[in-house]
Amino acid sequence: MDPIQAFSEYEREALEAIENAGDEQSLEQSRITFLGKKGGRLKDLQKLVGQVAAEVRREVGKAFNDVKTRVNEALEARKALLAKPKATATAIDVTLPGTPFSTGGLHPVTQTMREFKDIMGRFGFTAVEGPEIEDERHNFVALNIPEAHPARDPLDNFYLATARSWAGGPLLLRSQTSTVQIREMEKTKPPIRIVSLGRVYRPDTIDATHSCMFHQMEGLMVGEDVTMAQLKTVLHLFAKAYLGEEVTVRFRPSFFPFTEPSVEVDMLWGDDWIEVGGAGMVDPNVFKAVGYDPEEVQGFAFGLGIERFCMRRHEVTDIRRFYENDVRFLRQF
Ligand code: PHE
């Protein structure tokens, strides 16, 4: 038999047996079979070396030694591996604390807006949206706010320095969500029952109850016989749905260019009344501006400050907390 072939056959079988040894005992068995001093297969191979011709004996001897070394190394490696303690179920200490991970959450204002939409949805109001960058027609003109009105003072609004509307007029960040009333009436025929929630911008002096950006919910209901009594009912029901039965709401006579009559809406917080918005019956001039016939339809509109309701429910006393992105505050919601 060709010794080199015998060596490689031996090596293949030895390595396979070592690899398959599942525990120290069967590994020891393989060691005895393949490397054992007495009667092991290695002995037979060694005899082959002695039988070959003198000229090739050196070379065959080296091949024999190399095979022996490799099988020995494989055996040692396998032995070390089997000696390692195994990871078993009992190696996991289930009493150790887990790795905590934190999840994100919705901003309190977002949560409030979703709940408002939900409540108003139950009253049959559909939520619509409008742009935050507006032209003067939607922010003022169609809302019956004439050129000379103080509400249009450039110092009381965020006008954009260079951008112009498609018609060439100036643009501004909307100062109220009443803009969406106009956009909605321009594109739909009555009856209408919508709310629109979003950001508004005013260069107010910032303090605990004022911010130059805040959120409003605008409501608009238009039909043949929509009344002021319905307006009051809707606002009462809304406040109770969000804040609970014990909330007290009052209406104070007021003025807005786009409603007549107009009221300011307050609610009781502790011993104080806080203003939460404005409301009223849509002014006939607004209907005319959008092509509705004020003899045929009437309606009510309201605009509520979203943060103020959220503050009242969660007893937040400073509106600025909502915009500081302090996770210690945000986590409470
Ligand atoms: N747009 C008014 C404001 O920003 C609120 C309002 C809306 C009043 C609708 C009457 C009707 O203060």
Side-chain angles (χ1 to χ4, degrees):
M1 186 185 201
D2 172 23
I4 300 294
Q5 200 190 327
F7 296 164
S8 71
E9 216 162 89
Y10 159 83
E11 181 175 1
R12 193 173 42 75
E13 283 171 35
L15 293 182
E16 197 181 287
I18 290 167
E19 191 59 36
N20 289 337
D23 52 32
E24 288 175 44
Q25 230 175 335
S26 58
L27 187 64
E28 175 61 10
Q29 203 49 58
S30 304
R31 190 193 66 76
I32 293 166
T33 311
F34 290 96
L35 298 165
K37 298 262 175 331
K38 281 186 223 139
R41 284 184 53 180
L42 203 56
K43 272 241 156 24
D44 303 334
L45 295 181
Q46 202 166 11
K47 277 185 205 137
L48 290 179
V49 180
Q51 288 162 10
V52 296
E55 323 80 86
V56 294
R57 192 165 300 146
R58 235 181 115 82
E59 201 189 319
V60 172
K62 184 177 179 315
F64 170 79
N65 280 327
D66 287 349
V67 167
K68 195 174 130 184
T69 309
R70 285 198 292 271
V71 172
N72 258 309
E73 279 170 4
L75 184 97
E76 289 309 316
R78 186 74 188 155
K79 200 185 263 180
L81 194 80
L82 290 176
K84 263 197 204 150
K86 278 213 195 81
T88 59
T90 53
I92 297 168
D93 183 350
V94 293
T95 65
L96 285 173
T99 313
F101 62 95
S102 49
T103 53
L106 292 176
H107 190 278
V109 172
T110 307
Q111 291 181 32
T112 310
M113 294 207 291
R114 289 192 176 186
E115 197 172 332
F116 279 22
K117 282 185 208 170
D118 228 60
I119 296 168
M120 294 307 292
R122 298 205 289 272
F123 300 159
F125 287 74
T126 307
V128 299
E129 281 184 27
E132 288 178 30
I133 294 176
E134 267 297 5
D135 52 33
E136 291 186 307
R137 166 171 165 78
H138 294 92
N139 203 82
F140 301 123
V141 181
L143 286 164
N144 198 31
I145 306 174
E147 190 84 60
H149 194 279
R152 294 180 66 160
D153 189 329
L155 291 177
D156 286 332
N157 292 285
F158 284 111
Y159 272 92
L160 303 193
T162 53
R164 286 273 175 279
S165 75
W166 62 269
L171 290 170
L172 72 158
L173 299 181
R174 67 180 179 193
S175 60
Q176 49 188 353
T177 43
S178 299
T179 53
V180 189
Q181 291 181 29
I182 303 302
R183 291 193 171 272
E184 199 55 26
M185 288 191 283
E186 278 172 343
K187 62 180 186 219
T188 20
K189 295 256 155 288
I192 286 186
R193 220 193 282 193
I194 54 116
V195 282
S196 185
L197 295 86
R199 297 190 180 104
V200 297
Y201 302 84
R202 295 176 191 178
D204 274 337
T205 308
I206 298 168
D207 62 24
T209 51
H210 295 88
S211 161
C212 45
M213 184 283 294
F214 62 98
H215 296 74
Q216 281 190 329
M217 175 169 74
E218 188 80 12
L220 174 71
M221 179 162 167
V222 180
E224 271 171 35
D225 47 15
V226 176
T227 66
M228 186 91 182
Q230 288 172 341
L231 166 64
K232 292 173 76 176
T233 303
V234 166
L235 289 176
H236 271 297
L237 289 174
F238 170 76
K240 285 183 196 300
Y242 182 71
L243 291 169
E245 280 302 313
E246 65 288 349
V247 70
T248 315
V249 175
R250 78 173 180 192
F251 299 95
R252 259 180 310 117
S254 186
F255 174 82
F256 295 103
F258 33 91
T259 46
E260 181 61 33
S262 304
V263 290
E264 232 145 348
V265 187
D266 300 337
M267 70 187 168
L268 204 55
W269 187 349
D271 295 332
D272 299 322
W273 290 98
I274 60 159
E275 188 199 321
V276 288
M281 298 305 290
V282 179
D283 193 287
N285 285 340
V286 173
F287 283 141
K288 282 184 206 151
V290 295
Y292 282 15
D293 181 352
E295 300 297 326
E296 303 261 296
V297 289
Q298 51 190 34
F300 68 69
F302 60 84
L304 304 176
I306 293 175
E307 281 86 342
R308 295 230 171 141
F309 277 85
C310 180
M311 286 167 78
R312 159 85 207 259
R313 184 200 267 190
H314 298 283
E315 301 196 332
V316 175
T317 48
D318 193 329
I319 195 171
R320 288 167 291 197
R321 303 290 279 138
F322 290 120
Y323 319 118
E324 285 166 345
N325 269 341
D326 181 342
V327 286
R328 289 167 301 182
F329 170 74
L330 297 175
R331 275 206 189 109
Q332 300 167 18
F333 296 91

